[in-house]
Amino acid sequence: MTTRTRLGVSIISALILSACAAQPYRVVHVAPTSDAGAIYTCALGLATSLGYTAAQANKDSGFFKVERSQRKGPSSIHWGETVNEELTVLVLTVPNQPPTLQVTAAANSSFGRNARLLEPTAEGKADAEKLIQTCAK
């Protein structure tokens, strides 16, 4: 097999694998009666009350990311799979328009040094919806 053929096969394989990769779950809602600061405070407070830990947060930009990890397997100390859930939240403000709350749920799994993307868990999707329903009023 020539180098060119191997390169072509590699590219096609990568495209097929990327098409099959897990997709994040995103919900967006316009908040017609709230101000951006109140939405941000509500969403961050609710996310932490749901068991997530803030990994990145910047109130001025209206962005934060929260994470939650669960270990699964016979022994959570020595070996087993770790499922990492993540919510990324953006409060978008555009002049002369009501703020918009966007929440994206994603998940990945790690076992030792191997990591792979997962579909967001049902609980992660429900948490994203809960943020929207509670804070985008």
Side-chain angles (χ1 to χ4, degrees):
M1 188 181 285
T2 67
T3 304
R4 178 178 255 174
T5 305
R6 276 186 257 163
L7 179 61
V9 170
S10 297
I11 291 172
I12 291 171
S13 297
L15 289 173
I16 290 170
L17 288 174
S18 67
C20 298
Q23 298 293 314
Y25 175 75
R26 179 173 295 148
V27 287
V28 179
H29 190 274
V30 175
T33 60
S34 298
D35 80 333
I39 296 169
Y40 183 92
T41 302
C42 173
L44 184 56
L46 181 57
T48 55
S49 74
L50 294 171
Y52 291 88
T53 302
Q56 301 173 9
N58 184 321
K59 189 171 185 174
D60 292 335
S61 68
F63 171 85
F64 70 84
K65 182 188 288 189
V66 291
E67 299 171 339
R68 175 173 63 194
S69 294
Q70 299 176 9
R71 296 200 45 105
K72 299 182 180 208
S75 171
S76 62
I77 297 172
H78 299 291
W79 67 280
E81 179 182 32
T82 301
V83 175
N84 305 301
E85 296 176 286
E86 170 182 293
L87 296 178
T88 305
V89 178
L90 176 63
V91 179
L92 182 63
T93 55
V94 177
N96 301 322
Q97 293 183 15
T100 301
L101 177 60
Q102 174 181 303
V103 182
T104 304
N108 68 63
S109 168
S110 62
F111 187 84
R113 294 183 183 171
N114 299 320
R116 64 187 171 99
L117 293 176
L118 299 174
E119 289 294 322
T121 63
E123 188 177 9
K125 289 179 181 180
D127 291 343
E129 292 285 347
K130 191 173 201 173
L131 288 175
I132 293 287
Q133 293 169 1
T134 305
C135 300
K137 297 177 183 179

